[in-house]
Amino acid sequence: MAVKIRLKRFGKIRAPYYRVVVADSRTKRDGRVIEEIGKYHPTEHPSLIEIDSERAQYWLGVGAQPTEQVAALLKLTGDWGKFSGEGSTENQVKQPEGKKAFVADEAKKPVLKPKAEKPAEAPAPAATESTDAEEAAPAADEAEKTES
């Protein structure tokens, strides 16, 4: 059985992303695969390339042939250099920069207006009624105990 390491396409029209897969050479491009060993997102900046180096080395060692596109990705990650002994074994994939923290411009006025505060209602009468009822309840309980 001829085994290839190739790309399996996902995504929408004009927004592709790929998985690096090991598959029989006779299967369809997006058909059944033996194993998924990585992913490739070319539309991100910089492109996202993640390949499981250990599994790529294994499949190259047992005779799987990479396609031209996958061979280029393996050269970037350094896996092809480790396998063949020629070229760089260093990972040359650029990592994406982190997002910058948002800093509000202090010179500009805020767009949102603060809410008008509602006048506070007097909760004191309600509180005194409940305390009177609470005080009356124990007195009533004591009266019932004495009667019985």
Side-chain angles (χ1 to χ4, degrees):
M1 174 168 73
V3 177
K4 291 267 190 189
I5 303 175
R6 61 185 184 195
L7 297 175
K8 182 175 182 179
R9 190 182 195 280
F10 289 92
K12 298 185 280 186
I13 297 174
R14 293 183 215 52
Y17 60 94
Y18 301 92
R19 290 189 187 156
V20 180
V21 299
V22 178
D24 182 6
S25 62
R26 297 170 289 188
T27 60
K28 298 181 210 174
R29 177 191 70 179
D30 299 334
R32 188 177 63 167
V33 299
I34 299 170
E35 183 180 359
E36 294 179 358
I37 61 171
K39 56 185 171 179
Y40 171 52
H41 296 255
T43 55
E44 293 181 10
H45 184 72
S47 296
L48 172 74
I49 302 171
E50 290 180 6
I51 296 179
D52 184 1
S53 181
E54 184 179 314
R55 297 307 296 163
Q57 292 299 318
Y58 168 78
W59 283 107
L60 290 170
V62 296
Q65 295 296 312
T67 59
E68 289 181 25
Q69 298 87 349
V70 173
L73 294 177
L74 292 174
K75 287 177 185 174
L76 281 174
T77 60
D79 293 324
W80 186 254
K82 289 177 192 173
F83 169 70
S84 65
E86 38 185 76
S88 175
T89 59
E90 222 176 273
N91 187 349
Q92 299 172 356
V93 177
K94 295 180 183 177
Q95 297 298 324
E97 297 176 7
K99 288 186 176 180
K100 295 180 182 177
F102 176 75
V103 178
D105 188 5
E106 297 295 331
K108 294 182 179 178
K109 293 181 181 178
V111 176
L112 300 175
K113 296 181 181 178
K115 292 182 179 179
E117 295 183 21
K118 295 180 181 176
E121 295 182 22
T128 55
E129 292 173 4
S130 64
T131 55
D132 292 342
E134 291 173 3
E135 292 172 2
D141 290 338
E142 289 177 17
E144 289 176 4
K145 287 179 185 177
T146 55
E147 291 178 352
S148 13

